[in-house]
């Protein structure tokens, strides 16, 4: 990763767990740049002491629509819904029970390497 491109996923998880411990009712929506950060954040939260109290959902545009639909239902009683998503959830959908948003301030954009004329994603 280029300097300034990485996301502090441990900080993201600490913020989510703080919200869970002190924030009352409601789902938490976390914006991260891409699938790697979704998967790593999912792993970190799954390994946390509060994991059994969290209902974790990844959300990415490449996921099957049926899997994406699961984020709209309520979590099981006694659990907090946490959604790890790209900006797909910011622009395309509304999740009614989201009360907290944690935004890493990072997103992926397409750029063209001037020397090779190859396009790629950059955080």
């Amino acid at each position: 990763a280029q300097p300034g491109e990485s996301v502090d996923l441990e900080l993201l998880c600490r913020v989510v767990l703080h919200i869970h411990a002190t924030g009352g009712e409601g789902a938490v929506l976390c914006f991260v740049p891409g699938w790697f950060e979704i998967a790593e954040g999912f792993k970190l939260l799954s390994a946390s002491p509060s994991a059994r109290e969290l209902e974790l959902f990844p959300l990415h545009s490449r996921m099957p629509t049926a899997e994406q639909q699961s984020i709209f239902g309520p979590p099981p009683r006694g659990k907090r819904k946490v959604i790890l998503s790209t900006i797909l959830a910011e622009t395309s959908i509304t999740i009614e029970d989201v009360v907290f948003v944690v935004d890493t301030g990072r997103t992926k954009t397409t750029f063209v390497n001037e020397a090779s004329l190859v396009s790629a994603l950059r955080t």
Side-chain angles (χ1 to χ4, degrees):
Q2 298 292 324
E5 284 190 3
S6 64
V7 173
D8 187 343
L9 293 171
E10 289 184 9
L11 176 60
L12 174 80
C13 291
R14 286 196 308 268
V15 170
V16 169
L17 294 173
H18 177 76
I19 290 168
H20 177 60
T22 62
E25 301 276 321
V28 181
L29 174 60
C30 303
F31 290 121
V32 297
W35 183 253
F36 173 80
E37 292 84 4
I38 290 171
E40 291 301 307
F42 197 97
K43 277 192 236 175
L44 286 170
L45 286 168
S46 295
S48 76
S50 299
R52 68 186 181 285
E53 300 166 7
L54 304 175
E55 186 77 7
L56 302 173
F57 293 93
L59 180 61
H60 191 276
S61 61
R62 292 190 179 153
M63 290 175 57
T65 304
E67 284 183 42
Q68 290 180 18
Q69 294 297 321
S70 66
I71 66 166
F72 295 105
R77 187 177 187 96
K79 289 196 171 199
R80 181 185 303 271
K81 184 189 322 182
V82 178
I83 304 155
L84 296 161
S85 177
T86 59
I87 60 168
L88 164 75
E90 184 176 45
T91 58
S92 305
I93 60 173
T94 300
I95 305 164
E96 296 294 333
D97 60 343
V98 169
V99 176
F100 305 96
V101 176
V102 180
D103 192 341
T104 62
R106 299 280 190 261
T107 188
K108 300 251 185 206
T109 57
T110 303
F111 79 101
V112 177
N113 180 320
E114 297 293 328
S116 66
L117 299 177
V118 173
S119 64
L121 285 174
R122 179 184 290 170
T123 301

